[in-house]
Amino acid sequence: MKLQRKNRLRALSLGAVAVSGALALTACGSDDNGGGSGSSTSSASANASSIKCDDAKGQLLADGSSAQKNAIDAWVKAFSQACGVQINYKGSGSGAGVTAFTQGQVAFAGSDSALKPEEVTASKKICSGGQGIDLPMVGGPIALGYNVPGVDNLVLDAPTIAKIFDSKITKWNDAAIKKLNPDAKLPDLKIQAFHRSDESGTTDNFTKYLIAATPSNWKYSGGKAWQAKGGQSAPQSAGVAQQVKQTSGAIGYFELSYVSDGVKAVSIDTGASKPVAPSTESATADIAAAKIVGTGKDLALQLDYKTKAEGAYPMTLVTYEIVCDKGNKADTLPATKAFLRYIASEDGQKVLSTIDYAPVPDDIIAKVRTTIEGLS
């Protein structure tokens, strides 16, 4: 099943329409110048039949979160078929996407972390009369993918995860791992812990989980940039996943849709009656408890990383599409609104659960739809 899932996702990615990376359309009013199971072609076409193109035309350049890239690829395919608009979403990472947005290089950006105050301030320079806002669009679990020969159902808890990624636990047969996996045949094998080399909202959310769930074992302040010493690094979710796949003894963090052949996902002991595996359902159970903490049109969310609820996976993220609330550039606004309208629609959100992402809860996505209609 995993092989089929990976092949379907590859087909989606290849089917996504892209334009030349040299194209740099500005987003806003200033001219100053950043394997899950895929839906089939037939389902993309079915979705395309209900997409409202309005005055959408031309080409869009976007960048940001690599965690959501598999979802963006699926959405772009359906939207481009319906509207003829070409979209190039680079997926360079949340940090790169936010930078590209605040420099006016993209029509919208994707980020797994909400805009910081200084980033909102920077956005006002290119959002004429407005500012950048966060629109939660994609949910999902951050999977801990591992490659340990002979170990199929690995369980870890927050303290053990923190010690692994802080180079305090260095062998797979460590006593702490044995205690959580009494029936597993854990090898005397060095742990190869991989983290992101680029600034990443996935890193931000992963470390927020560690800070919240085991503060005595994770003393770092967190953020998009990796802070702990030791370990190995790779760029973007796909890069970390590839390193884990090809390295015996490896473990790394990335969105669930990147778990594929040769990589298994850790279940987390949260203190509930049984360990929780990453899945669309378990992530949704956690995201459903999220609170909107943004102000005005901003819809930034606060997630519960310390949940002990039955069946709720604690290590989740929400990817935001970042766009100007006012002052969007006239030649890109119609296509941007049409694309965001589609991905926030019922059909757009339905795509997510077919490729290992979690749809945004109904009450929150309803607010997103209202906000999109007011973009100007």
Side-chain angles (χ1 to χ4, degrees):
M1 291 299 292
K2 287 184 177 179
L3 180 58
Q4 294 172 350
R5 187 172 66 186
K6 182 180 178 184
N7 288 339
R8 287 197 298 270
L9 184 54
R10 182 182 294 114
L12 266 178
S13 298
L14 292 174
V17 180
V19 299
S20 169
L23 178 65
L25 297 178
T26 55
C28 305
S30 170
D31 287 332
D32 299 334
N33 294 322
S37 58
S39 57
S40 65
T41 300
S42 59
S43 65
S45 299
N47 286 334
S49 66
S50 62
I51 295 173
K52 296 180 180 179
C53 301
D54 293 339
D55 297 324
K57 59 184 178 180
Q59 303 163 323
L60 293 178
L61 182 63
D63 198 1
S65 165
S66 63
Q68 74 163 356
K69 190 173 189 306
N70 293 333
I72 290 286
D73 285 350
W75 282 331
V76 164
K77 180 172 184 177
F79 183 78
S80 295
Q81 286 178 346
C83 301
V85 175
Q86 294 180 309
I87 300 175
N88 178 16
Y89 182 82
K90 290 184 178 180
S92 302
S94 297
V98 171
T99 297
F101 177 76
T102 57
Q103 293 180 351
Q105 296 174 355
V106 292
F108 68 91
S111 176
D112 306 322
S113 300
L115 290 169
K116 296 178 180 178
E118 61 269 25
E119 293 168 340
V120 173
T121 298
S123 74
K124 292 179 180 180
K125 297 178 181 179
I126 52 98
C127 298
S128 179
Q131 66 180 50
I133 56 172
D134 302 287
L135 301 178
M137 204 71 76
V138 182
I142 301 172
L144 282 175
Y146 70 97
N147 177 1
V148 182
V151 180
D152 294 327
N153 299 295
L154 185 68
V155 175
L156 297 175
D157 59 11
T160 307
I161 294 167
K163 291 174 184 176
I164 287 173
F165 281 89
D166 200 22
S167 303
K168 301 292 177 58
I169 292 178
T170 59
K171 289 290 189 73
W172 280 110
N173 62 349
D174 186 274
I177 302 177
K178 283 184 176 180
K179 184 176 180 180
L180 291 163
N181 300 272
D183 298 325
K185 295 182 179 179
L186 297 165
D188 182 14
L189 179 65
K190 182 181 178 180
I191 295 174
Q192 307 280 357
F194 283 89
H195 58 265
R196 290 281 290 272
S197 60
D198 53 324
E199 289 201 359
S200 161
T202 308
T203 294
D204 191 16
N205 284 275
F206 175 54
T207 55
K208 280 180 179 176
Y209 161 72
L210 296 176
I211 291 167
T214 184
S216 62
N217 291 297
W218 196 259
K219 300 292 188 178
Y220 305 97
S221 60
K224 292 188 181 77
W226 185 256
Q227 296 172 327
K229 306 300 181 183
Q232 301 182 63
S233 65
Q236 305 168 13
S237 294
V240 175
Q242 180 61 30
Q243 289 298 321
V244 172
K245 180 178 180 178
Q246 65 188 25
T247 306
S248 181
I251 186 170
Y253 57 89
F254 33 79
E255 208 281 329
L256 181 61
S257 69
Y258 289 91
V259 173
S260 61
D261 299 326
V263 178
K264 302 178 180 68
V266 170
S267 293
I268 297 179
D269 183 345
T270 64
S273 64
K274 59 182 180 180
V276 184
S279 69
T280 296
E281 294 76 17
S282 62
T284 299
D286 184 55
I287 295 170
K291 298 178 181 178
I292 295 176
V293 294
T295 58
K297 294 182 179 180
D298 188 88
L299 298 175
L301 302 178
Q302 182 177 24
L303 300 172
D304 183 6
Y305 298 101
K306 297 193 292 183
T307 183
K308 295 183 181 180
E310 296 296 329
Y313 186 79
M315 201 160 58
T316 57
L317 61 76
V318 170
T319 302
Y320 302 95
E321 310 313 331
I322 296 171
V323 67
C324 296
D325 59 353
K326 298 178 182 179
N328 290 279
K329 192 169 182 179
D331 61 351
T332 58
L333 177 61
T336 299
K337 284 184 71 171
F339 182 66
L340 294 177
R341 181 186 296 121
Y342 161 58
I343 67 179
S345 71
E346 184 176 350
D347 280 346
Q349 289 289 298
K350 280 181 179 178
V351 170
L352 295 176
S353 59
T354 70
I355 48 176
D356 287 336
Y357 292 94
V360 176
D362 290 343
D363 58 334
I364 297 173
I365 202 67
K367 292 181 174 66
V368 172
R369 291 167 185 157
T370 299
T371 302
I372 290 169
E373 295 308 317
L375 298 178
S376 63

